[in-house]
Amino acid sequence: MQTVDQIIQPHWLIPVNTRQSVLLEHAVVIDQDEIIEYGPAAAINARYEANTSTVLDNHALIPGLVNAHTHTAMTLLRGFADDMPLMQWLSEHIWPTEAKWVDRAFVEAGANLACAEMIRGGTTCFNDMYFFPDVVARCAETAGMRACIGMIVLDFPTAWAQNADEYINQGLAMRDQVRHSPLITTAFAPHAPYTVSDEPLQRIATLSEELDCQVHTHVHETAQEIEESNARYGMRPIERLAQLGLLGPRLLAVHMTQLLPDEIDAVAECGVHVVHCPESNMKLASGFCPVSKLAAAGINVCIGTDGASSNNDLDLLGEMRMASLLAKGFSQDPAALNAYETLAAATINGAKALGLEHHIGSIEAGKKADLVAIDLSACATQPVYHPVSQIVYSASRDQVSDVWVAGRRVLENGVLTTLDAERICATANEWRDKIGGY
């Protein structure tokens, strides 16, 4: 018998493959950080001896969830400014508060809180955009999470940088610092077409091509954004990004609630990835991403939560449910974004958008062992006819029992193994007292 590090044997194994398989009484073999194979449990146990065996009689095992759009440190502003439209929320509340309070300590406290929340909810990889990205990278590594860290770019000064060139240069320095990390990748993260001018966007387009690096940006989020772009540039943001050389398979376009048919065609032709953030879009009344039309055009659609200050959580299971229900209601098609397609949007589609599909996003031999176990024995998910349907339409993040990232168990029986939740929450409350004036 071959000795390996781990064997995990769930009741249901959901690999997220093109056959939309749900496998009963199968087991996954892990050695070091990699999936060796999976197969019928009896055959696996006859061929392998594991240092650690985990039997999960009531659980579904899925690939780790990929949160394709976050602002992790903004967990510290959860509930700080609610119930208002995007530009009022940003200009009157978020940006002034960030200018006053954001520093390395703020970002560390917020990122730690975000990592704890995301691991507890089954997220193993996140795609972030915020200030002090080197701090976020360090927090992710400490938590044992996988992360794509955004090299944020803005035209205006913040505590992180004073101008667009400095943002880009500091981002590139951060990218160089993490280049050997097995858990951290990077992407250019110009905030939005309305906050970044042509010259830095052109430089980002060139660097993205030279470095084969993804570009992560908010785009076509609100009707006001479209109106202002037409007034300022004489064109809509998508057309402007195309002219600047950014429309292509490295672009992650976040929100995309304001799209014309020809823009959907252009996005499809160029291979752009769309990150759907349904709860944030609804909370800010930004509009509805036409997910069914995007999928019908062959566009890769993945799911993000956005920041906890506009959501107000980092619950990707909840986001999946909302994405599927909204797709059905918006398209008036009950078959739109079915349960398995929704699970794929939160796993392999997110991996594809980040250029990580050969490493994560599905349960396959040779991929990293990023896995999530969901206990379906709760009353809310009984009886189980179709486990994928239960995960998408019924399960809560409280039913996530165990999480592995690169074979490391970062959540065990509902308990974080890499982070001190009590200390993290205490620190968050200290920041609330400072920011809120308590």
Side-chain angles (χ1 to χ4, degrees):
M1 295 178 71
Q2 181 179 343
T3 300
V4 293
D5 287 335
Q6 300 184 66
I7 293 175
I8 304 172
Q9 184 178 328
H11 186 68
W12 298 277
L13 178 65
I14 304 168
V16 184
N17 55 27
T18 55
R19 297 183 301 279
Q20 300 194 0
S21 301
V22 175
L23 305 172
L24 280 170
E25 306 303 338
H26 276 55
V28 179
V29 183
I30 300 168
D31 201 44
Q32 298 184 45
D33 65 347
E34 194 170 285
I35 298 168
I36 302 302
E37 69 166 304
Y38 68 82
I44 291 294
N45 289 323
R47 290 167 47 205
Y48 293 96
E49 183 175 0
N51 295 324
T52 302
S53 291
T54 304
V55 178
L56 301 165
D57 289 329
N58 301 303
H59 298 65
L61 190 70
I62 64 172
L65 301 176
V66 179
N67 190 340
H69 179 59
T70 61
H71 308 286
T72 51
M74 294 183 81
T75 51
L76 293 187
L77 299 177
R78 190 196 319 262
F80 171 74
D82 286 334
D83 306 321
M84 61 191 72
L86 174 66
M87 293 315 299
Q88 180 187 356
W89 175 76
L90 279 174
S91 60
E92 296 181 16
H93 299 275
I94 298 302
W95 285 340
T97 303
E98 287 177 332
K100 182 177 181 179
W101 291 107
V102 169
D103 58 13
R104 289 183 173 276
F106 176 101
V107 172
E108 181 178 8
N112 282 335
L113 182 61
C115 287
E117 180 182 358
M118 286 191 285
I119 290 172
R120 189 63 192 80
T123 294
T124 58
C125 177
F126 64 94
N127 180 36
D128 201 52
M129 177 195 290
Y130 208 66
F131 311 110
F132 299 100
D134 56 326
V135 175
V136 180
R138 186 175 67 248
C139 291
E141 286 191 301
T142 299
M145 290 191 77
R146 202 175 299 280
C148 179
I149 304 297
M151 297 177 277
I152 190 168
V153 180
L154 292 156
D155 280 347
F156 55 81
T158 65
W160 172 240
Q162 295 302 299
N163 55 58
D165 283 340
E166 187 176 348
Y167 282 105
I168 293 171
N169 293 338
Q170 292 204 157
L172 290 171
M174 182 275 298
R175 173 185 167 89
D176 191 56
Q177 291 170 11
V178 302
R179 68 187 185 279
H180 297 305
S181 172
L183 294 175
I184 305 299
T185 56
T186 55
F188 289 104
H191 172 263
Y194 60 86
T195 53
V196 186
S197 51
D198 285 1
E199 186 175 348
L201 287 175
Q202 286 175 321
R203 185 181 174 195
I204 289 168
T206 301
L207 288 168
S208 171
E209 180 75 23
E210 291 175 352
L211 300 173
D212 190 21
C213 184
Q214 307 297 93
V215 178
H216 168 206
T217 188
H218 306 94
V219 60
H220 280 230
E221 184 173 1
T222 65
Q224 182 180 350
E225 174 192 345
I226 308 300
E227 293 168 4
E228 290 180 356
S229 181
N230 280 329
R232 184 175 178 185
Y233 298 102
M235 67 186 79
R236 291 161 66 90
I238 285 286
E239 182 182 358
R240 179 168 163 244
L241 292 180
Q243 290 192 6
L244 294 171
L246 282 164
L247 220 61
R250 296 183 187 87
L251 182 64
L252 283 74
V254 183
H255 297 300
M256 297 286 268
T257 69
Q258 314 289 320
L259 289 170
L260 301 175
D262 63 330
E263 290 170 334
I264 294 176
D265 292 342
V267 166
E269 184 178 349
C270 293
V272 172
H273 309 274
V274 171
V275 185
H276 181 30
C277 303
E279 292 186 11
S280 177
N281 290 343
M282 287 196 298
K283 184 166 182 283
L284 294 169
S286 299
F288 300 96
C289 178
V291 171
S292 296
K293 293 179 180 179
L294 299 177
I299 295 166
N300 181 51
V301 178
C302 49
I303 298 176
T305 58
D306 210 345
S309 59
S310 65
N311 185 302
N312 288 11
D313 58 46
L314 304 177
D315 178 4
L316 207 54
L317 280 174
E319 208 76 33
M320 288 162 57
R321 180 178 305 115
M322 188 61 68
S324 183
L325 297 179
L326 266 183
K328 299 173 193 304
F330 187 71
S331 65
Q332 298 186 1
D333 176 6
L337 203 62
N338 68 39
Y340 211 105
E341 291 168 344
T342 304
L343 181 58
T347 53
I348 189 62
N349 291 10
K352 287 177 182 174
L354 297 176
L356 296 173
E357 70 271 28
H358 300 299
H359 303 287
I360 63 170
S362 60
I363 300 175
E364 297 181 55
K367 286 196 173 185
K368 300 302 179 184
D370 293 10
L371 304 166
V372 173
I374 303 174
D375 185 353
L376 297 181
S377 67
C379 292
T381 46
Q382 288 289 309
V384 180
Y385 296 104
H386 305 289
V388 180
S389 290
Q390 300 300 75
I391 290 168
V392 173
Y393 300 126
S394 303
S396 75
R397 59 178 169 177
D398 293 335
Q399 291 173 252
V400 173
S401 65
D402 299 87
V403 175
W404 294 261
V405 180
R408 182 185 186 187
R409 202 170 187 174
V410 295
L411 185 75
E412 184 171 0
N413 297 321
V415 178
L416 295 164
T417 66
T418 59
L419 296 171
D420 183 342
E422 185 176 347
R423 181 186 61 79
I424 287 169
C425 290
T427 302
N429 283 321
E430 290 171 5
W431 276 100
R432 178 211 53 202
D433 293 346
K434 287 191 287 187
I435 293 169
Y438 293 100

